[in-house]
Structure formats: C-alpha cells, structure tokens
Amino acid sequence: MAVVVTNTVRTPLELVDQLGQYGVATIHEAQGRTGLLAARLRPIYRPVRVAGNALTCEVAPGDNWSIHVAVEQAQPGDLLVVTPTSPCDDGYFGELLATSVRAHGVRGLVIDAGVRDVAELTAMAFPVWSKVICAQGTVKETPGNVQVPIVCAGAYVRPGDVIVADDDGVVVVAHDDVERVIAASQAREENEEGKRARLAAGELGLDIYSMREKLRERGLRYEESSPR
Amino acid sequence: MAVVVTNTVRTPLELVDQLGQYGVATIHEAQGRTGLLAARLRPIYRPVRVAGNALTCEVAPGDNWSIHVAVEQAQPGDLLVVTPTSPCDDGYFGELLATSVRAHGVRGLVIDAGVRDVAELTAMAFPVWSKVICAQGTVKETPGNVQVPIVCAGAYVRPGDVIVADDDGVVVVAHDDVERVIAASQAREENEEGKRARLAAGELGLDIYSMREKLRERGLRYEESSPR
Amino acid sequence: MAVVVTNTVRTPLELVDQLGQYGVATIHEAQGRTGLLAARLRPIYRPVRVAGNALTCEVAPGDNWSIHVAVEQAQPGDLLVVTPTSPCDDGYFGELLATSVRAHGVRGLVIDAGVRDVAELTAMAFPVWSKVICAQGTVKETPGNVQVPIVCAGAYVRPGDVIVADDDGVVVVAHDDVERVIAASQAREENEEGKRARLAAGELGLDIYSMREKLRERGLRYEESSPR
Amino acid sequence: MAVVVTNTVRTPLELVDQLGQYGVATIHEAQGRTGLLAARLRPIYRPVRVAGNALTCEVAPGDNWSIHVAVEQAQPGDLLVVTPTSPCDDGYFGELLATSVRAHGVRGLVIDAGVRDVAELTAMAFPVWSKVICAQGTVKETPGNVQVPIVCAGAYVRPGDVIVADDDGVVVVAHDDVERVIAASQAREENEEGKRARLAAGELGLDIYSMREKLRERGLRYEESSPR
Amino acid sequence: MAVVVTNTVRTPLELVDQLGQYGVATIHEAQGRTGLLAARLRPIYRPVRVAGNALTCEVAPGDNWSIHVAVEQAQPGDLLVVTPTSPCDDGYFGELLATSVRAHGVRGLVIDAGVRDVAELTAMAFPVWSKVICAQGTVKETPGNVQVPIVCAGAYVRPGDVIVADDDGVVVVAHDDVERVIAASQAREENEEGKRARLAAGELGLDIYSMREKLRERGLRYEESSPR
Amino acid sequence: MAVVVTNTVRTPLELVDQLGQYGVATIHEAQGRTGLLAARLRPIYRPVRVAGNALTCEVAPGDNWSIHVAVEQAQPGDLLVVTPTSPCDDGYFGELLATSVRAHGVRGLVIDAGVRDVAELTAMAFPVWSKVICAQGTVKETPGNVQVPIVCAGAYVRPGDVIVADDDGVVVVAHDDVERVIAASQAREENEEGKRARLAAGELGLDIYSMREKLRERGLRYEESSPR
C-alpha cells in the first residue's frame, strides 16, 4: 500500500537557482534558523553546492525499489531526497542510478542512509549527501511512497520544497517561503559584507555589535591572572 | 598463549590481481552480498583501491606487539588485516610500521581500530582503512595471534582469503571462492555496461527491469496531487 | 557570573614554533603519552599543521557569545580552544569569526562542537579541528568563561599551554613542559630516523628491538598451518 | 519570534483512552508501520504505558523556557512532546516541572533530549521517555514555539495527534486516523489471539502462514549438515 | 539462495547446563578471554542467566522471515542467535515468536538487532539480549540462512556451540571446547573463592598476587603529596 | 613511569555526608552548573545515591593494574574514580575488586569504562557508575597514576574532591568548595520547597517567576489556531 503522488507542485527553477546562490548557513539563518537536516548527512566530495526541487522518496530498510519508481517522476532541476522508514546504512544508490536520474535532470541526492560507488559518483561530479558510505546492496521487494511529505534526517520535507546543500550540510526551504528567504539571504549577505571588512581591520565584535553593556548586565567580569 | 601460524595458504597473486580489477560493491554483489566489513572502516585518502592476501593479526587493546610479529610472516602481495580483541581506538600503526611492512611486500592495512601518521602514510601512498584516526600510542606487552582466522569489523577472515578495498569500503572473498567471484564480477560488469547506456539515454529502470507489474501486485498505486 | 582572565601567561612564540615542527604523534609520545584530545576532533581540511598558545573559551550550548569576548584577549600566535559546557553540535564559528580572530593573530581553532562555513574557512586556509560540521546557528545570551583552565575533548588545557594540531589530531603541552618536550621530540625523531632506514631495508622490528626472547617468555609460539 | 498557538484541536479523551489500551507495537502495525519515534527514546522506568494528546513544544539547545510556556496550554489528558531545535542532552525537565504539568492534567513527557530527577519522577510515577538522563541544567533566554507541528525523534507530530508510549517506545497517531487505528488495532489483537494459541501448541508459523511454497520460490533450500 | 542446514551437531544438554552454572565473565576468562559478543547486546530484564545450544539464523535488514524458518529446526535446549546481514534496529522478534519458539524448547534469544513486546517477554520470563528495543515491524520477503556459521555482534558462532548469557553479556563456547571450559571455569571459581575471603578480610591484592616487585620494575614510584 | 601520590588531602566525612544529602542535580545547580561528569556514566542499579572522597586512578586500555595499586591508598569514605588513558569498554572491575575495596571502606566506583559481575555487585549493593557493562577481562602489565588529578568523563577531578552520584549521574565538587556548595544546596532545596507547593496547586511558572513580560520582549506571541 504505497503511493506515488503525481503532478506535485514545483518551485520555478529561476527561484531555485537564485536561492542556490547562497550557502546553507546563510539560508538557515535567513529563514529563522529552521530547516536544517541533521549534521550526519555529509557530502561525498568537497567543495560542492547544489539546489533543487525536492523529489521525495521513502525506502524500506535494505530495499531501494522506490528509488527506481521515483526516477519516472523526476523533472529537470529536481534533487532526490530519500529517507528510510527505519534506520539503515545500506548502499541504496550507486553509479547506475546516478546515470539514470541524471538523464532525467536530477541534480543530486540527499539520503539519510548509505551510498556506494562513491569514486564513480565523484568522477561524474554527481553530488551526494549521505549518512554513510557503504557497499552493501539492497533488494527490490517492498515499494515505498514517492512524492509524499517525509521526515528526512529530522527535517520535514514536502515535494517541491527547495533543498540547498553544500559543504556545511543540507537545508530545506518550504515552497511558499522561497522568495522571502531569497530576499532575507541577500539582505544577510549584504549586512555581512560590511561587517567582514571591519572585522578584517581588527575591529572587535564586542564593539561592532555593542555587546559590552549587555555582557556586564549578564554578569561577565574581568580579573587579572594570578601567578600560576 | 598466543600463536603464529606459519606456512598458511595464499591465493596466487595472479588471481588476487584479477579480482582487484573490480570494485568492492561489484565483488560484494558477485559473491551473493556477503563478505563486507563494517562501514566504519574508511580509507585515509581517496581515491584508492588495493587487493591482497589477508595477513591476519589480533592485537590486545592498546598493544600493537603482534603487528611486529606479523611483519615476519608477510609475503609480497599480502594485505595486513588487524582486529583488536576488544574495541580500541588507539593508533596502532604509523609511518615506521608502514615502512617496515612495505619492505616485505605488504600492500596496505585494514584495521578495526586507530591509525596515526596519516599525513605521512598518504604521502607514501600506503593505503589504510581504519575505524578512526588517532595519535594515541600503544605498548608492547601482550602478544596476540597471527595468521589465525579472525573476525574483523564483523566479517570472518582467514589467512589467504583475498581482501579488496576501495573508496566504498572493504570486502573479503574466501580463498576457495576467488575464481568463481572473478567470473561473477566480470559477468556483472558486462551486464551493467549494457544497462548503463540505456539508463543514460533516459530509459527507465521500471521498464528495463520490467518492474511495473510486480509493483502493482505489491500494492503501489498512483494518485494525482491534491492542491497543497 | 562568567569571568575573563586577563594577562595570562603565554609560551614564547619561538618555543611554540619549535614545538610545532613536530607532529602530534611524536609530541604525544615525547611527553609520555599524555595530552591528546579525543579523536573525535578532526581537521576540516588536510594536510594541515599548526601550533599556538591556547586561548581558552567556554561556551553555553547553542551560544557562542564568549567567543566574541575571547577575540579581545587574543594575541598573535594564539590558537583558540573552545569547549561547550554540555555537549553541542551547533556551528559556533564561521567565516566572520575567522576573519575577526585572524586579524588579531589567531592561528586556528580547536572546538569540541560544530563549525560552519567550512568551504570559506578552507579557502582562507584557516585551520579548524572540530567534532562536527554543522550549519546550525547560535545565540548570544549567556556569557562563558574566557582564559580559565578548561577540559576540552577530555584533555585539561590551561591558557598559555601549547596546542599542536595536525592530520592526526590535537595535543596539548603544559606551559612548563614545552622545552622538555621539544628536546624529547627531537630525540625521538632522531631515533626514528635510524630505525626507518633499517626497516626500509627489510630488517625486522623483532630483531631491531630484540623482541624475540620476551615474546617467547610471554607465551608466543609458532606452529605450522594444518591443511585447510 | 516564537509563537504559541492556542485553541488547537484535541482528540476526545474517550478515543485517546481506547487507543491507549493497545501497545505501541500493535498500534504501529495497525496504522501501516508508520508513526514510530526513534528507538533512542526510552522510558525512565518499566513497565509503563500512557496515551495522551500531543502538547508540542520546541526548545532551544540548553534552554527550557518554552516548557514553562507550554504548561499554560495544557489540558487534562495531554502528553507533553518536546524537541530541541538542535541536538542536546541537557536535563530540560525535572521534578518541579513534573509537579507543575501534572497539576494541569498532563499525563507524561516525551522528549528527544535529557531529563533529570529521575528517582523523584519514578517515585511520582510520572512517565517519561527521553534520549538520555542528564543532570545538566538549562537557561531561560530563548522562547520556542508551542503547539506547532514539530519533528520529534524523526516523527512528525501535530498538536492533538495522539501519542501512545510504553516499554517498546513511542508512536504517534494522526488526529484524523485515531478511530481507524483503534479499529485496526482491535482487529489485529483478535487475529493474534488465535495465532497465539496455535503457536503455543507447537504449530509452526511456516504452516499457519503457508510460507513453505513462497520460501521455495524465493530460493530457500535445505541440506544435511556435513560432518564438522 | 538461502540455505537451512539440518541435522547439525548439538552439545549434550547435560554439558550445556553444567556450563550454564558459571557466569559469562568466568567462562570468558576460563577459555582464554575469547568468545564475547559485543557489549551492545543487553538483556531486556535483570537478573537473568541462560545457556543453550546456538540455533543460528541470518536475517535480511527489516525482514524476519528466516526466524520463522528457524523455529522448525529448534530442539529443546536451543538458544536462538540472530544476526542481520547489515546493521538494523528493527523489532524482529516479539511475543508471538517467543510463544512459538518456547513451544519448541528454545530457552531464549540473542539478537544483534531490535526486539519488541519487551513487557510481554519480561512477563513470560523469556530472556532476550538485543542491541536495541524497537517496535518497528519487519517484512517476510527475503529468506536468510539458518544453522550456518555466522558472525553475531563480532563473534563467530556455529550451530551447536554453547551460548551462555547473563547480566554481563553473552559468550560463545565452541562445541569442541565445552568440557575443557567447564573444567577451567570450575577451577577459576575455586581459586576465586579463596581470594575472596582474603580480600574481604582486607588483605591487599598487591600482596596476594605479589605485585609489588613487578610494579617497581615497571616504573611505579610513590611520592608524598605536595601542599595543594 | 607511573606515580602514586600518598597523603593526599581528604574532605572530612562529616562534610562529605552533608553534601551527600543532596541530589546530583541540586548540587550541580548550587555550584553554578559545573562539575557534571558526562551522562554516559550510568548506575548499574537504581535507585542509588552515594558520596565520597575521590580516590583517583588512571588505567591503561585493557589493563586494570593500577586499581589494585589504588586499593592500598583507600580510606573509609573514599569513592574510587577511574579513567582510562584512552577510551576502552573492557570490564576493569568486578566482584573481587569490590570485595577488596569495600574492605577498605570504599563506598563505590565511578569509571569511564566497563564493569562486570553486575549481578553480584547489585546483590552486594556496591554502587557503580560506568560507561558500559562488559565481561571482557583486563591484563596487569602497565601501571598507571594513582591519586593524581585526572579528567574523568569530561570533568577535572582531584584527590579529595567530593563525588556525589545518584540516578541522575555523577558530579564533582572541589575540595575547597564543599562547605559553600552545601550551603547553596540547602538554600536551593528550601527555595524549591515553596515553589513545589505552589506548582502542585496549579499556579503557573510563568507567574511565579514573572516571565510574561520578558517573553513578550523576546518576541513570543500568541495566535489562535487556524482550522486544520
């Protein structure tokens, strides 16, 4: 009793790519420190950055059948997001599946499980964020849901939400928030630009951010070192 | 009461090297999805691939004495496989031991424990798969068994079994199975070659593997997205 | 009720830099196998090595305020050592803070927590050893102690102790021991130099270190392999 | 910018209590093997079982302020479900908060973080499922959302969903599914009742479930043991 | 291509039960500090002790089909030992399977995976050692091997080896070693009996075991505390 | 080159026992949220509480020799605190050592490693907090330091500091702070007593602690639930 939802909404690629200009840390801050996937998801090579529409996929433990099902639902600019229904480290995805999804315009993979053929995937420049690298193969016996809302690595992801992933990890931005987050990311970057120059010149954050008074109120005090 | 077994069987290097042409994922599949060591063993640099005859070695926690004993048993084409008798993260092996075993023809190290001098080992291009990188030194007080059957990272390894290791991890092939697994690996690669071209052309795995009927029987259904 | 201790002792940079010529494994051995920080601290890029005076900093979970406070205490040649008061994976430190501390001469960061902007930090060649890479932001509500003795990743670190960090991990050398450890490290390296040549020539550690008799006494025995 | 949502829907306690007659494993099966929270959540004492309406609460790392906010939203029959915005092991909840929430009819706590005063909580028979037991205190500086949809230990939980928790773990049943899942749980228990008697009499599952033919098709074969 | 091996050897129950008089720590010592399964396997209730003939069973991740197959192979005095072919936390075994295997004389379960219905299993006094407690259900699609040699939690176990498990964990004794290990365990217990009385009377291990000289040789020295 | 420091300072047992009237969470709060050992240390039985003078002991991995050395230094009211020089899960301590240290007045054990014979230790009511329960035995080859300052489970502990341990974990109070912390603990308990009654009567923490205004300033807002 698994379901594939078709004709799901997608975020226009123009917006996806605008959002993809910003790093994961910036976007996470810009949307109010939400949307991060767990830090256990790491890229198989660095540096790397990609943005895409979430193409969601649930898999049974040790069973990658629904990834094959998901390929048919792919559209250019999608980013495959795979979560197992219970924790599993098996290598659900390798070079052949990457070849297949790339042929359908998929830009990369985020998976809260294992991946294999990482030398080949790296040579192909196919970006993957996974929990583990593991050669263990999977079966095709139990279909899973495709293009339904999922929880992946602790984050709630719906089809057509935008995923941005880079060296720092993976963030999801809800479909309806993309424009707002692009604007906020841009504002944050501009704000940081000015700060960066002052900090590089040796000015202290204590002064730039006017922290001294608040620190004193919160009980910070200074004392001379006593002889050791 | 530790033992060193001498004159153990080895797999002919011609076979070892034929097997080493295939990746770990391929070999693991070709021999029926068995023989993988746990995914916690990771290479200290990538990309990398090596194959060799297992030269097995048990070590006490925090004690690398038996590795020194194992060196004397080494033959060209061996790959040192080390397991602690209880879990330990210490750095059992570094540049000096690598220099020593390489002088005896050892091609690399697989260890379910720690390793150190990884910058030097990388510069030497001496391949290592370990559980952790750790500078902690070890003592030489308790001898361990050498060239006996061991369990390393969850896999049963006997002297003269063939180890293949690459970016995806480590696999062991039993001495008696090597020729069979070479043949099966070759068959698998040839089979994949044809699939790869079709997948790259956009053909779906659903069709190539004739999955649609079986998916329907197992309860997969498609439904239109409802308005979000 | 947090405190910043000023005018703490520092180790002269001439000594710091002498010590920094040696690797972490060598220094750890030279000072009697003490002072290693836990192996969970890993560099964000490799190869890398740095040495500096410990500039210590405690942070509340999810709160990096005291890092801003610590910047003001920095002197050229310092290495920032940050520990959370309870375990936390958040990204306490990124490119802006790196820009700031570098402007004050800080050579790198050791943190038993998370770090972000690792692509930018790598591009800046700002070395960081952290427990995790994580984009999660932090607040500025709870000041922590700066330049007090701390426990970081299981090691006791006082301001002005010397930290050396490389591909193998991180070691602390107490302020009063630096000269002794430099001498012992040099002695160790010279000793190893001779050993390396003999080992590379195929001589056995069993003979170089005269281990055979002691191994026999401890019960090691050799036996012929029985037919498999 | 945190929000407390008031007047959220609740599942009638009559239904909650009917559902609570079934164990977590049964309910999880009855609703199609979904809704389990991660197995890292363990009860502080056993045996135990409780069911309640989810009263959801997000907390900042090391900061339990929003739990105090949540108390005001509690209604009899609620079960407090707390998730940190990034992983944290601190002891967010102890005897005083238990006293407070119990006074408002809260039946227990599920928290993907730490808890303390477990001797007192056990003596009070206040049930708690937590990731860890930890005495570390928390601050009150950063408000978090209350009664919003959350992800707790990998499961998506909305206010008014029903939580059932016992020795096996924690499961969430969506508000709209409760009646259906009660019926399915009852059907499952009745079905098991008959099976139990036959199994206890020594009948084989192979026969009761008619597995032999399918096993043969999937390649299972029997062979005599060869002499060991 | 899974296999069930029939007519495997078993250790006479008289010997099994003699061995079962000793605790896991004693047996592990008596057979030379080998045979322990990894400490992650914990009993679901305490205190507990059981001994039995290993009835081995491999399961696919998330698939408990071969446990049903194994029941038919059970004989009185067996202890079921289950290992997944790749790591999995799912709840492979619960009250119904316990009812079934008990009807065939199985004394308990050791599983390097998850178990559920632990309240019921505890009430039945059916002993289980597992990696985790988890309600997650499993499928029946992929048969696994039964009564073949396996690696379970890092130990090599063959059908008919004897398993002893108690509050301290799980140990395997090879079929051929059982009588020797019984004798050695008895000797060890008798030896400890005398030591216990002397230690309880305040005599020091330093003296009973004549450690002082050896400690001095290994560099131990005593010094007065300096004023703190 | 290990050292045993003799004639170390101890805290008078009258003070130790006064401190031991308070729970770990209370003491940790009373001394400013410091001094907790890592939450991975768990008691082998519950409920339990003990207080004692820290008798510190470093052990090599897999080697418990220095615990035997430590026994001679024990005085009534001591609590043995053991830390390995690198992480180790072996069972360093069992019933015989417990018998021995109890004969010298030691009240319990805190160890950042493994312990065995837990059924016997429980029957003896000898309290132990350990990282793991593991039957694996240890050797006696490498002496370690006794009665020196150590880091145990992330906390700095000196001989004669007071350790209090209960169901919530383990806390260390510095020798010089004991009287101050007793007073602060008493004050805290008295303060909580009044709060408890008001909370039990249904009064809200929001009102008792006057949090509403501060929450509003920090951005908390309330909104009606929209139809689901």
Side-chain angles (χ1 to χ4, degrees), chain A residues 2-7 44 65 72 95 103-104 116-118 133 135-138 140-141 158-159 161, chain B residues 28-29 33 36 42 46 168 196 199 202 206 211-212 214-215 218-225 228:
Chain A
V3 65
V4 181
V5 182
T6 59
N7 290 328
I44 59 168
W65 209 8
E72 192 176 27
E95 180 228 354
H104 291 266
R116 61 183 186 176
D117 298 339
V118 293
I133 294 169
Q136 177 73 39
T138 49
K140 288 162 191 47
E141 299 289 352
R158 293 189 296 178
D161 289 347
Chain B
H28 152 74
E29 292 284 350
R33 296 195 172 163
L36 273 190
R42 295 298 304 146
R46 285 170 46 195
D168 285 342
R196 186 177 294 109
L199 292 167
L206 292 180
M211 292 171 169
R212 293 186 192 274
K214 191 179 159 200
L215 280 162
R218 296 279 171 98
L220 187 71
R221 61 192 167 78
Y222 290 75
E223 63 181 38
E224 283 274 321
S225 172
R228 190 167 170 174

Side-chain angles (χ1 to χ4, degrees), chain F residues 179-218:
Chain F
E179 288 184 277
R180 180 179 66 74
V181 174
I182 290 169
S185 298
Q186 183 176 7
R188 187 175 168 85
E189 284 225 337
E190 286 165 5
N191 175 277
E192 286 199 344
E193 197 52 54
K195 298 283 167 46
R196 186 176 294 109
R198 294 173 66 184
L199 292 166
E203 216 174 325
L204 290 168
L206 292 180
D207 298 316
I208 295 175
Y209 308 113
S210 304
M211 291 170 169
R212 294 184 190 274
E213 179 58 24
K214 191 178 160 201
L215 279 163
R216 200 174 305 125
E217 287 169 14
R218 294 282 170 97

Side-chain angles (χ1 to χ4, degrees), chain A residues 23-189:
Chain A
V24 167
T26 296
I27 292 167
H28 152 74
E29 292 284 350
Q31 73 174 338
R33 295 194 175 163
T34 65
L36 272 190
L37 279 66
R40 62 177 176 264
L41 300 195
R42 295 299 304 147
I44 59 168
Y45 60 84
R46 284 169 48 193
V48 62
R49 185 184 299 166
V50 73
N53 271 295
L55 169 57
T56 69
C57 183
E58 285 181 332
V59 288
D63 190 315
N64 75 348
W65 209 8
S66 58
I67 299 181
H68 290 271
V69 174
V71 180
E72 192 176 27
Q73 305 306 314
Q75 295 185 9
D78 282 357
L79 199 144
L80 187 57
V81 183
V82 178
T83 194
T85 53
S86 64
C88 188
D89 286 358
D90 290 353
Y92 282 85
F93 187 98
E95 180 228 354
L96 281 186
L97 271 170
T99 300
S100 177
V101 297
R102 173 166 277 179
H104 291 266
V106 171
R107 294 177 171 184
L109 168 69
V110 169
I111 181 167
D112 190 17
V115 68
R116 61 183 186 176
D117 298 339
V118 293
E120 292 78 4
L121 295 171
T122 301
M124 290 169 67
F126 186 87
V128 176
W129 287 255
S130 73
K131 186 174 71 163
V132 66
I133 294 169
C134 178
Q136 177 73 39
T138 49
V139 299
K140 288 162 191 47
E141 299 289 352
T142 307
N145 298 313
V146 172
Q147 291 289 64
V148 300
I150 61 174
V151 172
C152 182
Y156 188 65
V157 179
R158 293 189 296 178
D161 289 347
V162 180
I163 303 289
V164 181
D166 66 11
D167 295 27
D168 285 343
V170 185
V171 70
V172 58
V173 177
H175 176 76
D176 292 344
D177 294 343
V178 174
E179 288 184 276
R180 180 180 66 75
V181 175
I182 290 169
S185 297
Q186 183 175 8
R188 185 173 168 87
E189 284 224 339

